[in-house]
């Protein structure tokens, strides 16, 4: 009796498996089998993504990217060479010579050494650190130099005052984000600076965080630079 029941169970499982395989084969040959489900195909999804990306890229390409010559120069400093420990590789050190604006790190040897003396493109992170700590640049510029996460030597960089408050602005062609560094605390206190990000296409501040003292004036500057009146507050 038990043998008969076991046989029936095995036969039932086999029939169910064969039915599943047969149904799948029929659906492959029946183009109307999935017609009523309304599921998007892979090609349609990729097409929509490509259209959105193209529209975004076209808007960035059409934007008149300003070229504002850097006001900042980084001439050699009349101070002795120093040894800096690597912040990435334990036990590794680099010789940084502010008088010749040279460093023994791989970035400087491969890229920075080819840039003109006095340009920010020459500064590796170690030269930037020495410049920020020993140079005579404004504090807001020192913050830019020490921002290893966001600093890019090829960015356009402007520094000055907006409504009497120190500001540094960095941007790169093709990127809708503009980075703004400016004062964030009370004017009667020792200056503290924060980084803010502004999106050109959305005409809005990231996370709704705007500079405390000069947000409207900065937006006016960006509207003038980029030729886009919607950037105004």
């Amino acid at each position: 009796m038990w043998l008969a029941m076991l046989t029936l169970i095995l036969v039932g499982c086999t029939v169910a498996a064969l039915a599943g395989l047969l149904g799948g084969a029929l659906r492959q040959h029946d183009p109307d089998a999935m017609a009523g489900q309304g599921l998007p195909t892979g090609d349609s999804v990729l097409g929509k993504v490509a259209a959105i990306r193209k529209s975004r890229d076209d808007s960035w390409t059409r934007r008149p990217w300003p070229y504002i010559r850097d006001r900042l120069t980084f001439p050699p400093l009349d101070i002795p060479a120093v040894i800096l420990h690597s912040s990435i590789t334990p036990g590794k050190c680099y010789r940084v010579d502010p008088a010749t604006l040279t460093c023994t790190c791989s970035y400087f040897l491969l890229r920075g050494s080819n840039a003109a003396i006095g340009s920010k493109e020459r500064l590796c992170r170690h030269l930037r650190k020495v410049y920020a700590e020993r140079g005579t640049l404004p504090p807001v510029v020192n913050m830019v130099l020490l921002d290893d996460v966001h600093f890019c030597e090829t960015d356009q960089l402007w520094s000055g005052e907006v409504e009497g408050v120190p500001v540094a602005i960095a941007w790169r062609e093709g990127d809708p984000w503009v980075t703004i560094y400016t004062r964030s605390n009370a004017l009667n206190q020792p200056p503290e600076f924060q980084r803010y990000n502004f999106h050109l296409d959305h005409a809005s501040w990231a996370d709704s965080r705007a500079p405390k003292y000069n947000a409207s004036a900065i937006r006016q500057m960006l509207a003038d630079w980029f030729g886009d009146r919607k950037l105004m507050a």
Side-chain angles (χ1 to χ4, degrees), residues 148-207:
D148 286 336
V149 175
H150 297 88
F151 181 89
C152 180
E153 70 280 357
T154 58
D155 282 356
Q156 290 294 309
L157 179 62
W158 178 90
S159 177
E161 289 191 352
V162 179
E163 294 191 339
V165 179
V167 175
I169 303 177
W171 71 95
R172 70 193 63 169
E173 185 171 346
D175 190 337
W177 287 105
V178 175
T179 304
I180 293 99
Y181 302 82
T182 189
R183 186 164 184 161
S184 60
N185 64 332
L187 298 178
N188 60 352
Q189 297 177 352
E192 296 178 2
F193 299 92
Q194 286 190 11
R195 183 186 68 252
Y196 303 86
N197 297 295
F198 187 82
H199 198 284
L200 297 174
D201 284 350
H202 299 162
S204 62
W205 298 97
D207 301 323

Side-chain angles (χ1 to χ4, degrees), residues 54-71:
K54 183 177 186 303
S55 175
R56 181 198 66 184
D57 292 343
D58 286 348
S59 69
W60 295 354
T61 302
R62 288 194 302 268
R63 186 179 300 282
W65 296 96
Y67 179 82
I68 298 176
R69 185 174 298 279
D70 295 345
R71 295 183 177 184

Side-chain angles (χ1 to χ4, degrees), residues 9-28:
I9 292 173
L10 291 175
V11 170
C13 292
T14 303
V15 171
L18 290 174
L21 291 174
L22 181 60
L26 289 175
R27 283 194 296 272
Q28 288 182 354

